Structure formats: C-alpha cells, structure tokens
Amino acid sequence: MHDAGPATDWAAQAASGQQLAVGGPRGSFVVPDDFDWYLFIGDETALPAIGRRLEELRGGTRAIVVAAVAGPDEEQTFQSNADVETVWVHRPLSRADEAAPLLDAVRALTLPKTGDGYAWAAGESQTAKLLRRHLVDERGLDKAWIKAAGYWRRGAVSIHETHND
C-alpha cells in the first residue's frame, strides 16, 4: 500500500482473487527499418509520433514529412539521422478537421520512383482514411506498407481508429 490514489483505494477494499488491470500510456508499433524511403503525414496530434519515428530511422534513409499546423510559429524541428524533407501545411485550427489542406499537399508531392516505401498517416480520422485511399488508389503504393490512424474526430471523445482495410 502506498499513498492515496485510485489503485490504493481499490487495493484497500479488494477481496482475495479480485484483479486490477492497468494500461497506458498507449503503446505504438515500431516502423520497420528496412525500407528505402518513408512518408509521414499528420496534423498537430501526430507530431510526437512523427518525431519519434524520424529519430528511429537509420542514416542515409530518405524521409518525407507532410504536417499540418496552424501557422509558422507551430512548425517544429525534428531530430533524425535520415535525410528529411518537411512540407508544412498552414491552415487555421478552425479547419483542422478538413482533409483538403493535407490531401492537396500530399497530391502535390513527387514521391521516389525507385525503392520500397513505407507510409504512415495520422490525425483527424476521415483525413487519415482519405490519405490512405489516395496513396493506394491514386499512387499505387502497396497497401500492406501504408498505415493510417484516426487520432480524433470533431465532437468525439477518446477515439483511435485504424484505417488499414
């Protein structure tokens, strides 16, 4: 028994055989490190995950980041051994749930024509879904190597949706 808190309160009243499960913070998968290039797409909510993934990449790997933020003051510097190209998309927070700003920026990209690529998109749920659909249907990328997650949806609380077929 330790200082007061939810687990201590539960333990003080627990009967023999009762179980308590504790989870979190939510973990994340590890991006395979054997691709020739990477594409990471997201809004403000995806920036920590994008930063982590860039830090994990080996030197000499090409990475492209497309990130939507409210303006230049919200842009971040990422640490990576990879060769990183970042495209910042500026749009007001009032339009954060609109897919067009990120989708248009991704459509304008010139992706590498050689080598195997891995793509990851996260942020507003419908936007992540549309980005994945664009990469598969319009760009012809292998859907097995495109992961997309909805971190939020306007008006919804505590969602995490995976859009991988």
Side-chain angles (χ1 to χ4, degrees), residues 111-129:
L111 296 177
K113 296 188 185 311
T114 60
D116 293 323
Y118 179 92
W120 180 88
E124 194 284 322
S125 190
Q126 185 63 22
T127 299
K129 186 175 186 176

Side-chain angles (χ1 to χ4, degrees), residues 44 69-70 91-97 152 154:
E44 293 89 345
V69 295
R91 50 85 181 107
L93 282 177
S94 61
R95 293 185 57 204
D97 61 341
W152 66 278
R154 189 172 300 277

Side-chain angles (χ1 to χ4, degrees), residues 2 26 28 31 56 69 71 73 79 91 98 106 108 112 130 137 139 148:
H2 296 283
R26 184 180 166 85
S28 183
V31 173
E56 294 171 346
V69 295
D73 292 343
Q79 302 300 315
R91 50 85 181 107
E98 294 179 20
V106 172
L130 291 172
D137 296 345
R139 295 294 187 114

Side-chain angles (χ1 to χ4, degrees), residues 2-24:
H2 296 283
D3 292 337
T8 300
D9 294 344
W10 178 85
Q13 61 79 41
S16 180
Q18 286 184 312
Q19 295 182 359
L20 172 67
V22 179

Side-chain angles (χ1 to χ4, degrees), residues 30-52:
V30 175
V31 173
D33 69 352
D34 55 352
F35 286 91
D36 299 301
W37 58 271
Y38 295 82
L39 172 62
F40 301 113
I41 311 163
D43 62 17
E44 293 89 345
T45 63
L47 293 180
I50 290 171
R52 186 195 113 202

